[in-house]
Amino acid sequence: MAVSAARVIAGEWASGKHSRLFPSPAAAITAFSFAIAGLASFCTEADGVLSSRVKIFDRDLKRKHRDRAAWLMGGKNDFVDSVAENLLDRLEDCKKTFSTALCLGGSSEAIRRLIRGRGGIEKLIMMDMSLDMVKHLKNTEQNYVSNNLETLYMVGDEEFLPIKENSLELVVSCLGLHWTNDLPGAMIQCRLALKPDGLFLAAILGGETLKMACTIAQLEREGGISPRMSPLAQVRDAGNLLTRAGFALPGVDVDEYTVRYDSALELIEHLRTMGETNALLQRSNILKRDTALATAAVYESMFAAEDGKIPATFQVIYMTGWKEHPSQQKSKSRGSATISFEDIQNHFRSNEVS
């Protein structure tokens, strides 16, 4: 699949479609060089990776959202930058370096801009499902501080990762994986792409912001409810996702960010610039103008601060997992303990008395 995709890109380069993005056909298929090396197996070919047939999101529509976000991008996005910084800070806690890394969709521009040598990364592959977003990333490359970092750009889908197994040392996804139809399957592919002792870092949105306001407005204006908010993972699910995907030493933590807007409509515009608007398959294709205005009014009446600003809380779930390696710490088998918690408790109690 990856080889045929490389042929398509090379053919489109010859027709002029990719001449601005890649300087040559060879450069156009560099991102697929993992595929051309012999008869290597790929992440999408593993058993069980594509086991989920349930489709929740319209991936074609999400790609269009990413196209629009590439056009709308401009200026500083404090929320996205904060999430990217917090995600990359985890690399500073690691003693090992990661020479080859893959950055998956989402807020990849912030990751590339803020990485600043962290993790000892020498080669960074930037992948997005939107060609326009990849072009935007390529065209803004000169704005990055760490221009000595070798950066490759490719168009690819997180649900069908076109990467050879055991070829990467780090996979980073900042605010992108929550749009996949099979999140465990996508995470399994990320693990397969990693070399042993490789690191997986991801930040996804959690919680149910705006759902109540839109529901109330639709009930009032249209007499029914159409799905407007995408289902987001809960904190309790994140650890299970890492374990199900086969990661060792799973770690999960949560941050909440409150962003203040002049109006609820400005909030919606912010979501558009991030590519975070509704992509449910069962959505209503038309959001009526009066329903949109009613939603904004309901949200403002429920959540507006005294100064008139509209606060919106984003819950971000950070996930960390490692591909198994013999050098990693392992938990002892059940029943192997030589001391009970009761003994420990009695020990501390005796120290308090003395």
Side-chain angles (χ1 to χ4, degrees), residues 57-58 61 226-228 278-286:
F57 302 115
D58 186 337
L61 178 61
S226 172
R228 290 290 175 191
N278 184 20
L280 288 170
L281 277 172
Q282 296 182 350
R283 71 193 181 280
S284 173
N285 291 328
I286 299 175

Side-chain angles (χ1 to χ4, degrees), residues 97-110:
T97 57
F98 309 92
S99 59
T100 305
L102 171 67
C103 183
L104 293 176
S107 302
S108 50
E109 187 274 335

Side-chain angles (χ1 to χ4, degrees), residues 147-225:
N147 285 324
N148 58 333
L149 175 62
E150 181 184 358
T151 308
L152 307 177
Y153 300 87
M154 64 182 295
V155 179
D157 193 329
E158 299 96 328
E159 293 189 349
F160 304 96
L161 204 59
I163 301 293
K164 191 179 77 172
E165 291 186 24
N166 301 307
S167 60
L168 304 170
E169 293 172 338
L170 173 67
V171 174
V172 179
S173 175
C174 183
L175 302 178
L177 282 178
H178 51 270
W179 288 111
T180 55
N181 284 300
D182 183 10
L183 181 53
M187 292 171 63
I188 289 172
Q189 292 181 64
C190 291
R191 177 179 59 82
L192 292 173
L194 289 169
K195 297 177 181 179
D197 205 29
L199 176 61
F200 169 76
L201 289 177
I204 61 174
L205 288 179
E208 298 182 344
T209 308
L210 277 180
K211 191 172 196 178
M212 184 181 299
C214 200
T215 298
I216 293 172
Q218 280 200 301
L219 282 172
E220 177 190 357
R221 299 285 172 164
E222 301 178 22
I225 301 173

Side-chain angles (χ1 to χ4, degrees), residues 347-354:
H347 173 75
F348 282 107
R349 282 177 179 173
S350 62
N351 287 340
E352 290 177 359
V353 172
S354 60

